[in-house]
Amino acid sequence: MKQWLNDIYHSFPVQLTIMHLRSNLILVTIWVSLVLFITGILGGNLGFPSLFLDPEYFGRVGFVSFFIVGAAYGLFFMSWNLATYLLTVHQFPFLASLARPFTKFCINNFIIPATFVLFYLTRVTYFQSTFGRLPPSDIMLYTLGFMLGILTSLILYALYFQFTNKDISSYKKRNRLLPHLIPGLAPSRPNIDIDYIKQPEQNKRVKIYLNEFMRPKIVRSVAHYESSFLRSIFKQNHLNALLFQLLTVFILILLGLLIDYPASRIPAGASILILLSILIAFIGAISYWFGEWNVIVFIVVLLLINHLTSFDFFHRDNLVYGLDYSVPATKYNAKKLKRISDTGIIEEDIAATQTILDNWRKINDPGNGEKPKLTILCVSGGGLKAAAWAFRNIQLADSLTQGRFLHSNVLITGASGGMLGAAYLRELYLRKQKGDLLDLYSQAYLDNITKDLLNSVSFTWVANDLFLPFAKFKSGEQTYYKDRGYIFERQFNENTDFVLQKKLADYQQPEAEGIIPMMYITPSIINDARRLIISPQGVSFMMLAPAGLQLHGEVDIDAVDFGWLFAAHNPGALHFTSALRMNATYPYVLPNAHLPSSPEIQVIDAGFRDNFGVLSATRFLQTFKAWILENTSGVVLVQINSAEKTGSILPNRNQGTIERLIEPLGLMGLMFTVQGFEQDNNLGFVMDLLGRDHFELVRFNYTPLDAETPSPPVSFHISALEKKNLLDAIQSEENQRAMQRLMELLSHEKIPAAGK
């Protein structure tokens, strides 16, 4: 028994694994990161687990999607083998005396990759059976697809190395020159002392290796071979490995050229595996060439990349589509913003918006001497989860009130995903108002808004943004670079049948006539934390609190009217999907949008300032308080939140010194909770402003019906099960009471015929 355990310990697979844990810890960390992603410990709130456990391709989870993920894993697995082969093979010189040394290395390097496969298949089985409630036959089909994908990648690698890699036997059979007599083209590590590791005491650590049939074989001595000969065998193998890695990157770049075609947009999980494959190859190359200096070199390379990309030639900033960047940049400074209150523009915009309200009043006149209810809709951010939650709640609210909800709505505000859903439904409502025979409450539209957006974005990030940031497209007279912002808009348009492929100005007239609600899109400005208010109407009154008109210079401007600031850049030509994308720009997932100002404005997700839309709604109500009290019977503010209103209270526990040091940073993770507290205070202010009889708050909060049901993540991907659980939550007692209250409030509103 002791001898048997000793043989296992000194087997090649075990010794390789020990060496990885001792010397290749950075590469091993990548495997650990994958495990953390799949378990949800890392990125759980962003939906990382479902990208691997429930991958989609062409909007479906099935054999093909798992096959692609499996093929990507095969690429990742071989990248791991190639990198570790470069770094460790010189310490196992007996391989050079074997036929197909790289193949045998891969076979014996199986412990970490095989353990991961078993872990992954276990998680897939658990996820699909527990949350997907799929029968065993479907789960077996998925796992079969994954394993066949791996096998396909390995076969392609095997064919390549079969015809390129040479070993000692091939040179003997063909009577060719020994490789050490051929000019060296392959990379080598000059600090490797093969004469030293050929010594008998160094070879004792590996006694057994596995051959191609997984049979144990005794390691034989290579002391009788010339050191230069062994080195040359490895050099030749290294060259072929390097060429194949370069070929892989080249193929990835070619796929990046095809991002406009849906077939090229592989599952997001596969894209992540491909990115990690390239990262492993990069780390392996740095470690191979520079040995103990690898960390320093890695840092220097990153600093060099940062410096080079600071030059104009490498600048590939994301621009918003439709704006004219050819004219001189508009000045953006505090002095210019403060002058807005002295120009009369605010008064003009208030008067124009009041005309819109007058038009709304005429359309909503009950005709019996009563005043109509005015509704404002606020939707929260939160990826496709928020889009689905907002869209379905609006559908139901409008259906159950027999069309009165959207008809009485004046303004829609909010952030990211919620605004995607609200904007899509508003466009469908507009088309119905114009006479299109469509069923506004159809399930098909809900299915459209929940179609995957993340696969195309993540693949474009890997295949295009990292390796091919020079691809361009033309829109009108402007030329832009393709990136994940471009593909996000394209995919969103494809998902929604291109009904939102419009310009901002296309909504000016319908809003002005009161046919559809106004919509304020409010991304956050990185430069100074102000909000950018995007609307086809003049909204300069949203730039500061109404008191600022009387207290000149005493009230800070905390928002910017997009149309006013970029008047010289044709703001009406802005692609409407670009406005929505700016509003949903979660850092790193989508690129920061750069606007034509000096200094250059960058914007990101609206949620960083107003994730619930309440800030915009309360300022609007404050500005038009007098008109509202005179022309309406009150305001109904409908808030649709894709997360529970009150989060759990974190318990105190014993903490170490390091935990105590970083504990205050935890407050940053409660940003949305803090916003909720502040905006509840704003709502209380509005109620006091309008009076209790003229203000009603109706909330639809997402709370899972089953406490054991996991909440859908904040992601541009939502699985079928997550979607079902989300929609089931509409049936909660709290939401049913909210819906009943909304129906009561709007029960006497007038609905004109469609198209009028």
Side-chain angles (χ1 to χ4, degrees):
M1 180 67 175
K2 183 177 179 181
Q3 181 60 42
W4 183 71
L5 292 175
N6 185 65
D7 289 343
I8 291 178
Y9 178 77
H10 289 94
S11 65
F12 194 23
V14 172
Q15 288 299 312
L16 265 178
T17 304
I18 292 173
M19 175 169 288
H20 296 327
L21 295 175
R22 184 181 68 241
S23 304
N24 300 318
L25 198 56
I26 296 179
L27 297 179
V28 173
T29 301
I30 295 177
W31 288 98
V32 175
S33 300
L34 262 181
V35 171
L36 296 178
F37 285 145
I38 292 173
T39 56
I41 296 174
L42 285 180
N45 292 333
L46 299 177
F48 273 78
S50 63
L51 302 185
F52 296 94
L53 304 177
D54 200 44
E56 285 188 12
Y57 184 61
F58 275 106
R60 294 184 59 188
V61 178
F63 175 87
V64 176
S65 62
F66 273 95
F67 177 87
I68 295 173
V69 173
Y73 176 77
L75 177 66
F76 175 74
F77 166 61
M78 291 307 298
S79 183
W80 156 263
N81 280 323
L82 291 169
T84 53
Y85 183 74
L86 288 173
L87 296 176
T88 63
V89 71
H90 62 277
Q91 300 196 43
F92 305 99
F94 71 89
L95 280 171
S97 67
L98 305 177
R100 297 175 296 279
F102 179 67
T103 301
K104 290 183 173 61
F105 178 88
C106 294
I107 291 170
N108 286 270
N109 199 25
F110 76 91
I111 291 181
I112 292 178
T115 301
F116 176 83
V117 169
L118 291 175
F119 160 78
Y120 175 76
L121 294 179
T122 301
R123 294 294 297 183
V124 167
T125 302
Y126 171 77
F127 182 90
Q128 295 295 343
S129 61
T130 304
F131 302 115
R133 298 184 177 89
L134 294 181
S137 58
D138 286 352
I139 297 174
M140 289 182 64
L141 185 65
Y142 292 174
T143 56
L144 177 63
F146 179 76
M147 296 305 295
L148 286 179
I150 295 176
L151 183 62
T152 301
S153 287
L154 297 186
I155 289 174
L156 292 176
Y157 270 98
L159 290 174
Y160 171 78
F161 287 113
Q162 176 67 29
F163 293 104
T164 56
N165 272 10
K166 306 300 178 185
D167 51 43
I168 289 178
S169 62
S170 65
Y171 284 99
K172 289 181 178 179
K173 289 178 182 177
R174 300 184 184 182
N175 235 356
R176 299 174 62 179
L177 285 173
L178 293 178
H180 69 283
L181 299 177
I182 301 173
L185 299 175
S188 62
R189 300 174 73 178
N191 60 330
I192 296 173
D193 187 354
I194 289 187
D195 285 329
Y196 169 73
I197 62 177
K198 280 170 55 180
Q199 295 176 15
E201 59 270 18
Q202 296 300 321
N203 284 312
K204 286 181 181 179
R205 58 177 176 161
V206 178
K207 298 179 179 180
I208 297 172
Y209 70 92
L210 300 177
N211 67 6
E212 289 86 343
F213 302 101
M214 300 300 289
R215 294 176 181 172
K217 294 290 183 179
I218 303 297
V219 171
R220 60 182 178 178
S221 173
V222 292
H224 58 287
Y225 289 109
E226 294 181 29
S227 298
S228 59
F229 183 78
L230 297 177
R231 186 195 300 275
S232 298
I233 289 287
F234 291 141
K235 284 179 63 178
Q236 187 266 339
N237 283 194
H238 292 170
L239 176 61
N240 292 329
L242 176 63
L243 291 175
F244 197 89
Q245 288 178 323
L246 293 175
L247 178 63
T248 301
V249 174
F250 178 71
I251 292 173
L252 193 61
I253 291 174
L254 288 180
L255 286 174
L257 293 172
L258 303 174
I259 58 173
D260 287 335
Y261 301 94
S264 72
R265 302 170 202 163
I266 61 176
S271 298
I272 293 172
L273 286 168
I274 292 174
L275 178 61
L276 293 178
S277 301
I278 297 170
L279 180 61
I280 280 181
F282 177 69
I283 293 174
I286 294 293
S287 300
Y288 176 76
W289 281 99
F290 299 99
E292 296 176 353
W293 291 89
N294 58 355
V295 175
I296 298 298
V297 172
F298 185 72
I299 294 173
V300 170
V301 169
L302 291 180
L303 293 175
L304 182 61
I305 291 174
N306 180 69
H307 177 68
L308 290 176
T309 52
S310 66
F311 294 104
D312 290 340
F313 177 78
F314 291 101
H315 271 189
R316 298 295 177 262
D317 295 333
N318 176 270
L319 309 181
V320 291
Y321 312 135
L323 274 188
D324 186 357
Y325 285 79
S326 63
V327 299
T330 187
K331 291 183 179 180
Y332 179 68
N333 52 55
K335 185 177 180 181
K336 179 177 181 177
L337 295 179
K338 287 181 179 179
R339 287 203 305 266
I340 186 72
S341 59
D342 299 323
T343 61
I345 294 177
I346 292 179
E347 289 79 3
E348 292 176 7
D349 288 347
I350 289 176
T353 302
Q354 190 163 304
T355 300
I356 296 175
L357 293 174
D358 289 337
N359 291 334
W360 173 90
R361 174 71 171 81
K362 293 175 184 177
I363 294 175
N364 284 269
D365 186 0
N368 55 4
E370 295 184 5
K371 297 177 181 179
K373 289 284 187 186
L374 181 150
T375 63
I376 289 181
L377 175 62
C378 300
V379 294
S380 76
L384 289 190
K385 163 189 174 181
W389 183 246
F391 189 93
R392 187 54 179 160
N393 274 287
I394 299 171
Q395 272 189 326
L396 285 175
D398 198 62
S399 174
L400 294 174
T401 59
Q402 299 180 350
R404 294 183 179 89
F405 176 57
L406 285 174
H407 186 258
S408 64
N409 192 254
V410 164
L411 176 66
I412 300 174
T413 69
S416 61
M419 289 294 275
L420 294 179
Y424 181 41
L425 193 105
R426 186 182 74 145
E427 173 59 30
L428 295 174
Y429 177 68
L430 173 61
R431 291 173 180 245
K432 185 174 182 179
Q433 293 290 94
K434 289 185 174 181
D436 283 9
L437 299 177
L438 57 84
D439 180 5
L440 190 64
Y441 315 125
S442 170
Q443 174 73 26
Y445 299 128
L446 177 64
D447 294 338
N448 284 347
I449 198 63
T450 55
K451 288 180 180 177
D452 178 82
L453 291 169
L454 189 56
N455 285 343
S456 53
V457 169
S458 58
F459 177 73
T460 304
W461 186 52
V462 174
N464 184 87
D465 294 12
L466 292 180
F467 297 101
L468 193 71
F470 302 102
K472 298 179 180 179
F473 74 100
K474 195 169 184 179
S475 177
E477 298 299 320
Q478 302 292 313
T479 300
Y480 308 94
Y481 287 100
K482 292 182 180 180
D483 57 15
R484 59 193 185 280
Y486 161 79
I487 204 64
F488 174 86
E489 292 188 37
R490 184 180 179 90
Q491 184 70 67
F492 183 63
N493 278 322
E494 290 175 4
N495 291 353
T496 54
D497 300 321
F498 295 93
V499 299
L500 288 168
Q501 193 170 356
K502 305 175 75 170
K503 296 179 180 179
L504 182 66
D506 292 335
Y507 288 108
Q508 195 279 330
Q509 192 65 23
E511 288 185 7
E513 294 175 358
I515 296 175
I516 58 173
M518 293 178 285
M519 179 172 279
Y520 291 171
I521 300 172
T522 58
S524 306
I525 299 176
I526 294 177
N527 309 56
D528 55 16
R530 290 184 170 94
R531 295 184 305 139
L532 187 67
I533 314 293
I534 302 176
S535 170
Q537 316 301 331
V539 289
S540 58
F541 54 85
M542 294 293 292
M543 293 174 61
L544 77 169
L549 293 177
Q550 285 77 41
L551 302 173
H552 291 282
E554 298 299 323
V555 177
D556 283 341
I557 302 244
D558 64 355
V560 182
D561 179 354
F562 171 81
W564 167 76
L565 182 63
F566 296 104
H569 299 269
N570 196 11
L574 174 72
H575 291 196
F576 188 67
T577 51
S578 289
L580 292 175
R581 190 243 305 169
M582 285 191 282
N583 205 54
T585 299
Y586 200 84
Y588 310 115
V589 177
L590 291 175
N592 299 341
H594 295 246
L595 297 170
S597 62
S598 177
E600 185 181 63
I601 287 176
Q602 293 187 53
V603 296
I604 54 174
D605 199 294
F608 286 91
R609 279 293 314 275
D610 187 14
N611 192 55
F612 306 102
V614 173
L615 190 58
S616 296
T618 53
R619 179 158 299 177
F620 181 87
L621 292 173
Q622 186 182 7
T623 302
F624 296 101
K625 168 194 170 184
W627 187 95
I628 290 169
L629 292 176
E630 180 181 349
N631 292 277
T632 75
S633 60
V635 171
V636 181
L637 192 147
V638 178
Q639 195 174 8
I640 302 177
N641 298 327
S642 63
E644 296 181 65
K645 186 66 176 66
T646 304
S648 58
I649 300 175
L650 300 177
N652 286 322
R653 56 186 177 81
N654 292 332
Q655 296 176 319
T657 302
I658 296 177
E659 289 177 303
R660 291 173 183 171
L661 287 174
I662 65 176
E663 184 181 20
L665 299 178
L667 187 61
M668 298 174 61
L670 300 176
M671 177 178 64
F672 296 147
T673 301
V674 173
Q675 279 191 23
F677 292 151
E678 292 179 346
Q679 294 188 4
D680 278 356
N681 185 63
N682 287 344
L683 293 175
F685 161 73
V686 170
M687 187 178 72
D688 290 341
L689 187 72
L690 299 177
R692 183 66 187 87
D693 295 336
H694 286 79
F695 182 75
E696 291 282 348
L697 175 63
V698 178
R699 274 184 173 140
F700 298 95
N701 294 321
Y702 168 68
T703 304
L705 287 181
D706 183 355
E708 300 299 321
T709 300
S711 176
V714 179
S715 171
F716 288 131
H717 173 93
I718 185 170
S719 69
L721 177 65
E722 290 167 342
K723 176 180 170 182
K724 179 182 181 302
N725 292 337
L726 182 77
L727 300 180
D728 285 346
I730 294 175
Q731 305 303 321
S732 71
E733 291 184 12
E734 178 189 1
N735 289 322
Q736 290 298 299
R737 286 196 300 269
M739 189 66 73
Q740 184 63 39
R741 180 57 180 156
L742 182 62
M743 293 167 63
E744 292 171 358
L745 290 168
L746 300 180
S747 60
H748 302 296
E749 301 304 303
K750 173 191 172 186
I751 304 296
K756 294 184 180 180

